[in-house]
Short mmCIF file of all heavy atoms in Angstrom, two decimals:
data_model
loop_
_atom_site.label_atom_id
_atom_site.label_comp_id
_atom_site.label_asym_id
_atom_site.label_seq_id
_atom_site.Cartn_x
_atom_site.Cartn_y
_atom_site.Cartn_z
N THR A 405 -4.47 92.82 17.51
CA THR A 405 -5.45 93.41 18.35
C THR A 405 -5.24 93.07 19.78
O THR A 405 -4.17 92.43 20.09
CB THR A 405 -6.90 93.12 17.87
OG1 THR A 405 -7.89 93.87 18.65
CG2 THR A 405 -7.30 91.71 17.87
N ILE A 406 -6.17 93.44 20.70
CA ILE A 406 -6.01 93.12 22.15
C ILE A 406 -5.54 91.77 22.41
O ILE A 406 -6.09 90.86 21.74
CB ILE A 406 -7.38 93.44 22.80
CG1 ILE A 406 -7.57 94.96 22.89
CG2 ILE A 406 -7.43 92.85 24.20
CD1 ILE A 406 -8.99 95.33 23.40
N LYS A 409 -1.12 94.83 21.07
CA LYS A 409 -0.72 96.03 20.26
C LYS A 409 0.61 96.67 20.71
O LYS A 409 1.32 97.28 19.86
CB LYS A 409 -1.86 97.13 20.27
CG LYS A 409 -3.06 96.70 19.42
CD LYS A 409 -4.11 97.81 19.39
CE LYS A 409 -5.22 97.51 18.52
NZ LYS A 409 -6.17 98.62 18.36
N GLU A 410 0.88 96.59 21.99
CA GLU A 410 2.14 97.14 22.52
C GLU A 410 3.25 96.05 22.59
O GLU A 410 4.39 96.34 22.25
CB GLU A 410 1.89 97.83 23.90
CG GLU A 410 1.07 99.07 23.73
CD GLU A 410 0.59 99.63 25.01
OE1 GLU A 410 1.32 99.54 26.04
OE2 GLU A 410 -0.53 100.11 24.99
N ASN A 430 -1.11 98.19 15.11
CA ASN A 430 -2.36 97.33 14.77
C ASN A 430 -2.20 96.71 13.39
O ASN A 430 -3.07 95.93 13.07
CB ASN A 430 -3.67 98.16 14.86
CG ASN A 430 -3.82 99.08 13.67
OD1 ASN A 430 -2.87 99.45 13.02
ND2 ASN A 430 -5.01 99.48 13.40
N ASP A 445 -5.19 103.21 13.43
CA ASP A 445 -6.38 103.58 14.22
C ASP A 445 -6.65 105.12 14.16
O ASP A 445 -7.73 105.54 13.97
CB ASP A 445 -6.21 103.18 15.64
CG ASP A 445 -6.52 101.66 15.88
OD1 ASP A 445 -7.23 101.05 15.10
OD2 ASP A 445 -6.02 101.14 16.87
N PHE A 449 -9.65 106.93 12.32
CA PHE A 449 -10.62 107.77 13.00
C PHE A 449 -10.84 109.10 12.24
O PHE A 449 -12.04 109.51 12.02
CB PHE A 449 -10.10 108.07 14.42
CG PHE A 449 -11.16 108.93 15.10
CD1 PHE A 449 -12.20 108.43 15.75
CD2 PHE A 449 -10.88 110.33 15.22
CE1 PHE A 449 -13.12 109.25 16.37
CE2 PHE A 449 -11.83 111.22 15.80
CZ PHE A 449 -12.94 110.59 16.45
N LEU A 467 -12.09 110.90 25.93
CA LEU A 467 -12.32 110.19 27.19
C LEU A 467 -11.60 108.89 27.09
O LEU A 467 -11.88 108.01 26.24
CB LEU A 467 -13.82 109.94 27.34
CG LEU A 467 -14.65 111.27 27.21
CD1 LEU A 467 -16.16 110.95 27.26
CD2 LEU A 467 -14.34 112.27 28.25
N GLY A 468 -10.62 108.66 27.96
CA GLY A 468 -9.79 107.49 27.99
C GLY A 468 -8.39 107.84 27.51
O GLY A 468 -8.18 108.88 26.77
N ALA A 469 -7.35 107.12 27.94
CA ALA A 469 -5.98 107.39 27.54
C ALA A 469 -5.20 106.16 27.21
O ALA A 469 -3.98 106.05 27.42
CB ALA A 469 -5.30 108.11 28.66
N GLY A 470 -5.88 105.13 26.69
CA GLY A 470 -5.26 103.84 26.33
C GLY A 470 -4.72 103.90 24.91
O GLY A 470 -4.49 105.07 24.33
N GLY A 471 -4.52 102.72 24.30
CA GLY A 471 -3.82 102.61 23.00
C GLY A 471 -4.64 103.35 21.92
O GLY A 471 -4.06 104.11 21.11
N ALA A 472 -5.93 103.14 21.88
CA ALA A 472 -6.73 103.76 20.83
C ALA A 472 -6.73 105.30 21.02
O ALA A 472 -6.61 106.05 20.01
CB ALA A 472 -8.20 103.21 20.80
N ALA A 473 -6.87 105.73 22.25
CA ALA A 473 -6.87 107.19 22.48
C ALA A 473 -5.58 107.79 22.04
O ALA A 473 -5.62 108.93 21.46
CB ALA A 473 -7.04 107.40 24.02
N ARG A 474 -4.50 107.13 22.24
CA ARG A 474 -3.16 107.69 21.89
C ARG A 474 -3.04 107.91 20.35
O ARG A 474 -2.67 108.96 19.93
CB ARG A 474 -2.10 106.77 22.42
CG ARG A 474 -0.81 107.35 22.41
CD ARG A 474 0.19 106.56 23.28
NE ARG A 474 1.54 106.75 22.73
CZ ARG A 474 2.62 106.41 23.28
NH1 ARG A 474 2.61 105.82 24.45
NH2 ARG A 474 3.81 106.68 22.69
N ILE A 476 -5.58 108.22 18.26
CA ILE A 476 -6.50 109.25 17.81
C ILE A 476 -6.00 110.60 18.26
O ILE A 476 -6.10 111.64 17.48
CB ILE A 476 -7.90 108.97 18.49
CG1 ILE A 476 -8.52 107.66 17.86
CG2 ILE A 476 -8.82 110.11 18.33
CD1 ILE A 476 -9.71 107.17 18.56
N LEU A 490 -9.31 113.20 29.28
CA LEU A 490 -9.78 112.88 30.58
C LEU A 490 -9.74 111.37 30.78
O LEU A 490 -10.16 110.61 29.91
CB LEU A 490 -11.30 113.30 30.68
CG LEU A 490 -11.53 114.72 30.35
CD1 LEU A 490 -13.08 115.01 30.51
CD2 LEU A 490 -10.76 115.67 31.27
N ASN A 491 -9.20 110.91 31.94
CA ASN A 491 -9.02 109.49 32.16
C ASN A 491 -9.32 109.11 33.61
O ASN A 491 -9.03 109.93 34.51
CB ASN A 491 -7.67 109.01 31.69
CG ASN A 491 -7.54 107.49 31.55
OD1 ASN A 491 -8.50 106.88 31.02
ND2 ASN A 491 -6.47 106.89 32.01
N ARG A 492 -9.80 107.86 33.80
CA ARG A 492 -9.98 107.33 35.17
C ARG A 492 -8.72 107.41 35.96
O ARG A 492 -8.71 107.81 37.13
CB ARG A 492 -10.46 105.88 34.99
CG ARG A 492 -10.79 105.17 36.31
CD ARG A 492 -11.28 103.77 36.03
NE ARG A 492 -10.28 102.93 35.35
CZ ARG A 492 -10.52 101.66 35.06
NH1 ARG A 492 -11.63 101.14 35.36
NH2 ARG A 492 -9.57 100.98 34.36
N THR A 493 -7.62 106.99 35.29
CA THR A 493 -6.26 107.11 36.01
C THR A 493 -5.63 108.39 35.48
O THR A 493 -5.17 108.43 34.35
CB THR A 493 -5.43 105.89 35.69
OG1 THR A 493 -6.15 104.72 35.96
CG2 THR A 493 -4.08 105.88 36.45
N LEU A 494 -5.68 109.42 36.33
CA LEU A 494 -5.29 110.77 35.84
C LEU A 494 -3.86 110.75 35.29
O LEU A 494 -3.49 111.39 34.28
CB LEU A 494 -5.35 111.77 37.04
CG LEU A 494 -4.87 113.17 36.71
CD1 LEU A 494 -5.68 113.80 35.58
CD2 LEU A 494 -4.99 114.03 37.96
N ARG A 496 -2.17 108.66 33.55
CA ARG A 496 -2.09 108.26 32.13
C ARG A 496 -2.54 109.41 31.20
O ARG A 496 -2.02 109.60 30.08
CB ARG A 496 -2.89 106.98 31.88
CG ARG A 496 -2.38 105.78 32.56
CD ARG A 496 -3.03 104.51 32.19
NE ARG A 496 -2.65 104.01 30.91
CZ ARG A 496 -3.35 103.06 30.22
NH1 ARG A 496 -4.48 102.57 30.66
NH2 ARG A 496 -2.87 102.60 29.04
N ALA A 497 -3.57 110.12 31.62
CA ALA A 497 -4.05 111.33 30.82
C ALA A 497 -2.93 112.37 30.76
O ALA A 497 -2.66 112.94 29.73
CB ALA A 497 -5.28 111.93 31.36
N LEU A 516 -11.71 111.93 34.74
CA LEU A 516 -12.89 111.57 33.94
C LEU A 516 -14.14 112.06 34.77
O LEU A 516 -14.75 111.30 35.51
CB LEU A 516 -12.88 110.10 33.73
CG LEU A 516 -14.08 109.55 32.87
CD1 LEU A 516 -14.05 110.13 31.50
CD2 LEU A 516 -13.93 108.03 32.77
N GLN A 530 -15.19 109.08 22.76
CA GLN A 530 -15.26 108.07 23.85
C GLN A 530 -14.47 106.83 23.45
O GLN A 530 -14.72 106.11 22.44
CB GLN A 530 -16.69 107.73 24.04
CG GLN A 530 -17.10 106.95 25.23
CD GLN A 530 -16.25 105.71 25.61
OE1 GLN A 530 -15.34 105.78 26.45
NE2 GLN A 530 -16.51 104.58 24.92
N THR A 531 -13.26 106.61 24.12
CA THR A 531 -12.37 105.53 23.73
C THR A 531 -12.20 104.44 24.75
O THR A 531 -11.37 103.58 24.64
CB THR A 531 -10.96 106.07 23.38
OG1 THR A 531 -10.32 106.41 24.63
CG2 THR A 531 -10.98 107.25 22.48
N THR A 532 -13.02 104.45 25.87
CA THR A 532 -12.92 103.35 26.82
C THR A 532 -13.79 102.19 26.39
O THR A 532 -14.71 102.36 25.53
CB THR A 532 -13.33 103.81 28.23
OG1 THR A 532 -14.72 103.78 28.34
CG2 THR A 532 -12.80 105.14 28.60
N PRO A 533 -13.54 101.03 26.97
CA PRO A 533 -14.49 99.87 26.61
C PRO A 533 -15.87 99.94 27.34
O PRO A 533 -16.64 99.03 27.15
CB PRO A 533 -13.73 98.65 27.03
CG PRO A 533 -12.47 99.09 27.80
CD PRO A 533 -12.49 100.55 27.84
N VAL A 534 -16.13 100.97 28.09
CA VAL A 534 -17.38 101.00 28.87
C VAL A 534 -18.59 101.16 27.92
O VAL A 534 -18.57 102.17 27.13
CB VAL A 534 -17.38 102.20 29.84
CG1 VAL A 534 -18.71 102.22 30.67
CG2 VAL A 534 -16.17 102.11 30.80
N LEU A 536 -19.59 98.26 26.11
CA LEU A 536 -19.48 97.06 25.33
C LEU A 536 -20.58 96.03 25.76
O LEU A 536 -21.10 95.33 24.96
CB LEU A 536 -18.18 96.36 25.44
CG LEU A 536 -17.03 96.82 24.57
CD1 LEU A 536 -15.71 96.13 24.95
CD2 LEU A 536 -17.37 96.57 23.07
N GLU A 539 -23.39 98.58 29.72
CA GLU A 539 -23.35 99.30 30.93
C GLU A 539 -23.52 100.80 30.73
O GLU A 539 -23.26 101.30 29.60
CB GLU A 539 -21.99 99.24 31.64
CG GLU A 539 -21.04 98.23 31.50
CD GLU A 539 -20.37 98.00 30.18
OE1 GLU A 539 -21.03 97.74 29.17
OE2 GLU A 539 -19.11 98.08 30.26
N TYR A 541 -22.64 104.82 31.30
CA TYR A 541 -21.32 105.43 31.29
C TYR A 541 -21.12 106.15 32.68
O TYR A 541 -22.06 106.64 33.24
CB TYR A 541 -21.24 106.49 30.16
CG TYR A 541 -19.87 106.77 29.70
CD1 TYR A 541 -19.09 105.85 29.12
CD2 TYR A 541 -19.26 108.02 30.04
CE1 TYR A 541 -17.79 106.01 28.73
CE2 TYR A 541 -17.93 108.22 29.66
CZ TYR A 541 -17.21 107.24 29.07
OH TYR A 541 -15.91 107.42 28.80
N PRO A 542 -19.83 106.23 33.14
CA PRO A 542 -19.65 106.78 34.49
C PRO A 542 -19.92 108.28 34.53
O PRO A 542 -20.16 108.77 35.72
CB PRO A 542 -18.16 106.53 34.80
CG PRO A 542 -17.53 106.11 33.50
CD PRO A 542 -18.64 105.55 32.59
N ASP A 556 -18.41 107.53 19.67
CA ASP A 556 -17.97 106.40 20.54
C ASP A 556 -17.34 105.34 19.64
O ASP A 556 -17.91 104.96 18.60
CB ASP A 556 -19.26 105.86 21.18
CG ASP A 556 -18.84 104.87 22.31
OD1 ASP A 556 -17.84 104.21 22.23
OD2 ASP A 556 -19.65 104.82 23.30
N ILE A 557 -16.10 104.95 19.97
CA ILE A 557 -15.42 104.02 19.01
C ILE A 557 -15.81 102.59 19.14
O ILE A 557 -15.36 101.73 18.45
CB ILE A 557 -13.86 104.21 19.06
CG1 ILE A 557 -13.27 103.64 20.35
CG2 ILE A 557 -13.45 105.65 18.90
CD1 ILE A 557 -11.71 103.64 20.28
N ILE A 558 -16.83 102.33 20.05
CA ILE A 558 -17.50 101.00 20.10
C ILE A 558 -18.50 100.93 19.06
O ILE A 558 -19.22 101.97 18.75
CB ILE A 558 -18.16 100.81 21.51
CG1 ILE A 558 -17.08 100.79 22.62
CG2 ILE A 558 -19.03 99.60 21.56
CD1 ILE A 558 -17.64 100.77 24.06
N TYR A 559 -18.73 99.78 18.37
CA TYR A 559 -19.72 99.69 17.35
C TYR A 559 -20.68 98.50 17.63
O TYR A 559 -21.63 98.26 16.91
CB TYR A 559 -19.12 99.53 15.95
CG TYR A 559 -18.08 98.41 15.79
CD1 TYR A 559 -18.46 97.10 15.63
CD2 TYR A 559 -16.77 98.81 15.86
CE1 TYR A 559 -17.59 96.08 15.42
CE2 TYR A 559 -15.78 97.76 15.72
CZ TYR A 559 -16.16 96.45 15.52
OH TYR A 559 -15.25 95.49 15.42
N ASN A 579 -20.95 106.10 15.62
CA ASN A 579 -20.37 104.96 16.39
C ASN A 579 -19.03 104.54 15.81
O ASN A 579 -18.46 105.18 14.91
CB ASN A 579 -21.38 103.81 16.49
CG ASN A 579 -21.52 102.98 15.23
OD1 ASN A 579 -20.77 103.21 14.25
ND2 ASN A 579 -22.53 102.13 15.16
N GLY A 580 -18.50 103.42 16.36
CA GLY A 580 -17.12 103.00 15.96
C GLY A 580 -16.94 102.33 14.61
O GLY A 580 -15.88 101.93 14.22
N LEU A 581 -18.12 102.03 13.95
CA LEU A 581 -17.92 101.19 12.74
C LEU A 581 -17.23 101.96 11.60
O LEU A 581 -16.38 101.35 10.91
CB LEU A 581 -19.38 100.67 12.32
CG LEU A 581 -19.24 99.41 11.44
CD1 LEU A 581 -18.54 98.25 12.12
CD2 LEU A 581 -20.60 99.02 10.89
N PRO A 582 -17.48 103.25 11.39
CA PRO A 582 -16.73 103.84 10.29
C PRO A 582 -15.22 103.85 10.62
O PRO A 582 -14.35 103.71 9.75
CB PRO A 582 -17.27 105.31 10.28
CG PRO A 582 -18.70 105.13 10.76
CD PRO A 582 -18.62 104.10 11.84
N MET A 583 -14.88 104.03 11.88
CA MET A 583 -13.38 104.00 12.29
C MET A 583 -12.87 102.61 11.95
O MET A 583 -11.74 102.42 11.44
CB MET A 583 -13.20 104.37 13.73
CG MET A 583 -11.79 104.11 14.20
SD MET A 583 -11.52 104.56 15.95
CE MET A 583 -9.95 103.89 16.21
N PHE A 584 -13.66 101.55 12.33
CA PHE A 584 -13.20 100.21 12.08
C PHE A 584 -12.92 99.99 10.56
O PHE A 584 -12.00 99.40 10.12
CB PHE A 584 -14.18 99.21 12.67
CG PHE A 584 -13.75 97.81 12.47
CD1 PHE A 584 -12.75 97.26 13.20
CD2 PHE A 584 -14.29 97.00 11.47
CE1 PHE A 584 -12.24 95.93 12.98
CE2 PHE A 584 -13.89 95.73 11.23
CZ PHE A 584 -12.88 95.18 11.98
N LEU A 585 -13.93 100.45 9.77
CA LEU A 585 -13.78 100.37 8.32
C LEU A 585 -12.50 101.00 7.85
O LEU A 585 -11.67 100.36 7.12
CB LEU A 585 -15.01 101.11 7.65
CG LEU A 585 -14.80 101.27 6.12
CD1 LEU A 585 -14.99 100.01 5.38
CD2 LEU A 585 -15.77 102.34 5.64
N PHE A 586 -12.27 102.23 8.25
CA PHE A 586 -11.16 102.96 7.70
C PHE A 586 -9.79 102.48 8.21
O PHE A 586 -8.75 102.59 7.53
CB PHE A 586 -11.31 104.43 7.83
CG PHE A 586 -12.26 105.02 6.79
CD1 PHE A 586 -13.52 105.41 7.15
CD2 PHE A 586 -11.97 105.01 5.47
CE1 PHE A 586 -14.46 105.88 6.19
CE2 PHE A 586 -12.84 105.53 4.54
CZ PHE A 586 -14.09 105.90 4.94
N GLN A 587 -9.80 101.94 9.49
CA GLN A 587 -8.46 101.40 9.98
C GLN A 587 -8.14 100.21 9.06
O GLN A 587 -6.98 99.92 8.79
CB GLN A 587 -8.43 101.08 11.43
CG GLN A 587 -9.43 100.03 11.94
CD GLN A 587 -9.06 98.61 11.62
OE1 GLN A 587 -7.90 98.23 11.67
NE2 GLN A 587 -10.04 97.79 11.39
N GLY A 588 -9.20 99.40 8.64
CA GLY A 588 -8.98 98.26 7.77
C GLY A 588 -8.58 98.75 6.33
O GLY A 588 -7.71 98.09 5.69
P1 NAP B 840 -6.79 100.10 26.41
O1 NAP B 840 -5.41 100.41 25.90
O2 NAP B 840 -6.91 98.97 27.42
O3 NAP B 840 -7.35 101.43 27.15
C1 NAP B 840 -8.56 101.40 27.87
C2 NAP B 840 -8.94 102.83 28.39
O4 NAP B 840 -10.28 102.76 28.94
C3 NAP B 840 -8.02 103.35 29.47
O5 NAP B 840 -7.88 104.70 29.39
C4 NAP B 840 -8.74 102.96 30.71
O6 NAP B 840 -8.56 103.78 31.81
C5 NAP B 840 -10.17 103.21 30.27
N1 NAP B 840 -11.16 102.41 30.99
C6 NAP B 840 -11.26 100.98 31.02
N2 NAP B 840 -12.26 100.64 31.80
C7 NAP B 840 -12.83 101.75 32.34
C8 NAP B 840 -13.87 101.99 33.25
N3 NAP B 840 -14.62 100.95 33.77
N4 NAP B 840 -14.21 103.26 33.52
C9 NAP B 840 -13.49 104.29 32.96
N5 NAP B 840 -12.44 104.12 32.18
C10 NAP B 840 -12.12 102.82 31.87
O7 NAP B 840 -7.78 99.71 25.28
P2 NAP B 840 -7.75 100.29 23.79
O8 NAP B 840 -6.99 99.35 22.92
O9 NAP B 840 -7.50 101.78 23.79
O10 NAP B 840 -9.27 99.95 23.31
C11 NAP B 840 -10.37 100.71 23.91
C12 NAP B 840 -11.72 100.43 23.24
O11 NAP B 840 -11.63 100.84 21.90
C13 NAP B 840 -12.09 98.90 23.13
O12 NAP B 840 -13.41 98.79 23.37
C14 NAP B 840 -11.72 98.59 21.71
O13 NAP B 840 -12.53 97.48 21.20
C15 NAP B 840 -12.10 99.86 20.95
N6 NAP B 840 -11.46 100.05 19.65
C16 NAP B 840 -12.21 100.33 18.63
C17 NAP B 840 -11.54 100.50 17.36
C18 NAP B 840 -12.46 100.77 16.11
O14 NAP B 840 -11.88 100.61 15.00
N7 NAP B 840 -13.67 101.15 16.19
C19 NAP B 840 -10.15 100.48 17.21
C20 NAP B 840 -9.38 100.25 18.38
C21 NAP B 840 -10.04 100.03 19.65
P3 NAP B 840 -7.33 103.52 32.89
O15 NAP B 840 -6.08 104.15 32.33
O16 NAP B 840 -7.82 104.12 34.14
O17 NAP B 840 -7.20 102.00 33.04
#
Side-chain angles (χ1 to χ4, degrees):
T405 187
I406 286 174
K409 286 185 175 185
E410 291 168 34
N430 76 337
D445 282 337
F449 178 83
L467 308 176
R474 194 165 152 171
I476 291 169
L490 307 180
N491 196 42
R492 179 177 63 178
T493 308
L494 177 62
R496 291 187 81 194
L516 183 59
Q530 190 314 97
T531 72
T532 80
V534 181
L536 273 176
E539 338 66 301
Y541 205 69
D556 193 325
I557 70 169
I558 292 172
Y559 53 83
N579 74 8
L581 202 61
M583 172 179 169
F584 180 75
L585 167 74
F586 283 108
Q587 63 75 35

